[in-house]
Amino acid sequence: MHTSVQPFVLFAMNPVHLPELFPPPLMTRLQQLARVDPMLVVQDFSDPAVAEALARAEVLVTGWGCPHLGAQTLAAAPRLRAVLHAGGSVRHLVGEPFWERGLTLSSAVQANALPVAEYTLAMILLAGKDAFGLRERFRAEHVYPAPTEYATVGNLGRRVGLIGASRVGRRLLELLRPFDLSVSLYDPYVDAAEAAELGAVPLDLDELLRTSDIVSVHAPDIPQTHRMLNRERLALIPDGGVLINTSRGALIDHTALTEELVSGRLSAILDVTDPEPLPPDSPLYRLPNVFLTPHIAGSLGNELARLGGTVVTELERMTTGLSPAHPVHRAELEISA
């Protein structure tokens, strides 16, 4: 989209996110590149008040809270050339009419993967030290355990199994390289050579579960992965194992997981659940072997500016005739988040 005239850009998202995604320095860069009204943020494409702006829009900058870009919306935006998404997944955003128009789609999913990988790295290392379990015990007993009770604690050679070489999974593999961990990977789309390049031993899913002290889930939520960790597979994880999920709750049978956690056989670090949030009476809120966080692994607070920066950079590329650095292709959505 190389043009000497600044393109007209329209924001489409929940307006509460706009100032965090585009703090003043980024908004200034954006306004130097395009004609954009920071006060106009669309949440409802059917609103007559936004019809004129939608008809002029050449680029939509979307984010969390943006409605689906259906056929009627696209028909009302005849000049639209590109959608730059200041978030991760775009599965909910586009459908067949979008691809039929041949529009460009870019996502900040790579930028959003970094904080998820950082969160997971921290949790793996803390889980290897049994930091959560020992904290609970220390709070209850107010004494240090005897040295002999630390025999199974530590990260030297700890077996870590990753499910999914997604963008998060790949970034996590990079972050794990400096540590003395034994890392394995299950991903049906990654062969042995690529797994080795990523720094992991390729295993099938059942073998990964049998041989991992810590299992971390990074697969997309697609029909093929729904409840992939069912009762039988959860039972394969060794006694005392830790399950980390920063992907989507639907990948795990939460009834079976709850039974495992209530029994005390496994521990879990869950940033996502099914349903989300869990009902108030869920025992997972109270179990000492469960560490729950409210879906915080992805970009939050000042990390949102990384997503906005990705969008601004993509717009810079497009206005100078370059292709987007982070395009989303139709075929990818069948196997990605």
Side-chain angles (χ1 to χ4, degrees), residues 126-194:
L126 288 171
K129 297 285 282 189
D130 193 24
F132 303 109
L134 291 171
R135 174 183 181 270
E136 291 296 322
R137 181 172 173 180
F138 192 36
R139 291 177 70 182
E141 300 178 4
H142 307 156
V143 296
Y144 290 169
T148 54
E149 297 181 63
Y150 292 129
T152 61
V153 172
N155 283 310
L156 178 60
R158 179 72 62 183
R159 301 175 303 174
V160 177
L162 306 188
I163 299 175
S166 60
R167 289 178 178 86
V168 173
R170 289 167 185 265
R171 189 70 181 96
L172 178 59
L173 284 164
E174 292 177 13
L175 296 179
L176 288 171
R177 284 183 181 272
F179 300 97
D180 291 322
L181 300 166
S182 175
V183 182
S184 57
L185 171 69
Y186 165 72
D187 190 309
Y189 301 98
V190 174
D191 61 24
E194 185 179 8

Side-chain angles (χ1 to χ4, degrees), residues 27-82:
M27 185 61 75
T28 297
R29 281 177 59 193
L30 189 59
Q31 290 175 309
Q32 291 169 345
L33 292 167
R35 292 169 290 161
V36 57
D37 181 358
M39 303 305 294
L40 180 58
V41 185
V42 178
Q43 282 189 282
D44 181 1
F45 289 124
S46 65
D47 184 348
V50 304
E52 181 182 353
L54 188 59
R56 295 171 57 203
E58 296 167 74
V59 178
L60 282 180
V61 171
T62 60
W64 295 306
C66 178
H68 179 74
L69 300 174
Q72 187 172 353
T73 297
L74 294 173
R79 302 183 65 190
L80 186 65
R81 296 292 179 267

Side-chain angles (χ1 to χ4, degrees), residues 8-327:
F8 184 82
V9 171
L10 180 63
F11 292 116
M13 64 184 71
N14 185 329
V16 72
H17 300 306
L18 191 69
E20 293 179 308
L21 287 166
F22 300 98
L26 283 179
M27 185 61 75
T28 297
R29 281 177 59 193
L30 189 59
Q31 290 175 309
Q32 291 169 345
L33 292 167
R35 292 169 290 161
V36 57
D37 181 358
M39 303 305 294
L40 180 58
V41 185
V42 178
Q43 282 189 282
D44 181 1
F45 289 124
S46 65
D47 184 348
V50 304
E52 181 182 353
L54 188 59
R56 295 171 57 203
E58 296 167 74
V59 178
L60 282 180
V61 171
T62 60
W64 295 306
C66 178
H68 179 74
L69 300 174
Q72 187 172 353
T73 297
L74 294 173
R79 302 183 65 190
L80 186 65
R81 296 292 179 267
V83 173
L84 308 180
H85 186 57
S89 175
V90 293
R91 291 176 63 88
H92 67 289
L93 200 60
V94 300
E96 191 65 25
F98 183 92
W99 301 114
E100 289 176 354
R101 275 276 293 270
L103 301 174
T104 295
L105 178 60
S106 170
S107 168
V109 63
Q110 189 72 39
N112 194 50
L114 176 55
V116 183
E118 291 173 341
Y119 172 103
T120 310
L121 170 65
M123 295 302 168
I124 288 172
L125 296 176
L126 288 171
K129 297 285 282 189
D130 193 24
F132 303 109
L134 291 171
R135 174 183 181 270
E136 291 296 322
R137 181 172 173 180
F138 192 36
R139 291 177 70 182
E141 300 178 4
H142 307 156
V143 296
Y144 290 169
T148 54
E149 297 181 63
Y150 292 129
T152 61
V153 172
N155 283 310
L156 178 60
R158 179 72 62 183
R159 301 175 303 174
V160 177
L162 306 188
I163 299 175
S166 60
R167 289 178 178 86
V168 173
R170 289 167 185 265
R171 189 70 181 96
L172 178 59
L173 284 164
E174 292 177 13
L175 296 179
L176 288 171
R177 284 183 181 272
F179 300 97
D180 291 322
L181 300 166
S182 175
V183 182
S184 57
L185 171 69
Y186 165 72
D187 190 309
Y189 301 98
V190 174
D191 61 24
E194 185 179 8
E197 289 179 4
L198 292 171
V201 176
L203 296 176
D204 65 42
L205 181 55
D206 289 357
E207 185 63 16
L208 179 143
L209 295 171
R210 289 191 192 97
T211 58
S212 296
D213 304 306
I214 301 171
V215 175
S216 191
V217 182
H218 303 287
D221 181 10
I222 56 178
Q224 301 94 302
T225 62
H226 186 75
R227 301 287 190 271
M228 67 186 303
L229 294 186
N230 54 22
R231 185 180 305 277
E232 292 74 23
R233 283 188 166 139
L234 290 171
L236 298 176
I237 301 175
D239 292 355
V242 180
L243 177 64
I244 302 174
N245 191 9
T246 58
S247 179
R248 288 293 184 267
L251 276 64
I252 301 174
D253 179 341
H254 261 258
T255 298
L257 177 61
T258 299
E259 292 174 6
E260 289 278 20
L261 296 171
V262 168
S263 76
R265 194 183 77 80
L266 300 178
S267 297
I269 298 168
L270 305 174
D271 189 54
V272 292
T273 56
D274 186 27
E276 195 171 64
L278 292 169
D281 61 350
S282 171
L284 271 58
Y285 286 116
R286 300 178 296 278
L287 289 176
N289 55 325
V290 178
F291 187 76
L292 279 178
T293 52
H295 207 141
I296 62 170
S299 299
L300 290 177
N302 63 24
E303 295 166 338
L304 293 178
R306 186 185 285 123
L307 308 185
T310 298
V311 166
V312 173
T313 300
E314 291 288 61
L315 187 60
E316 286 173 339
R317 292 177 61 88
M318 294 175 65
T319 55
T320 55
L322 297 174
S323 298
H326 304 286

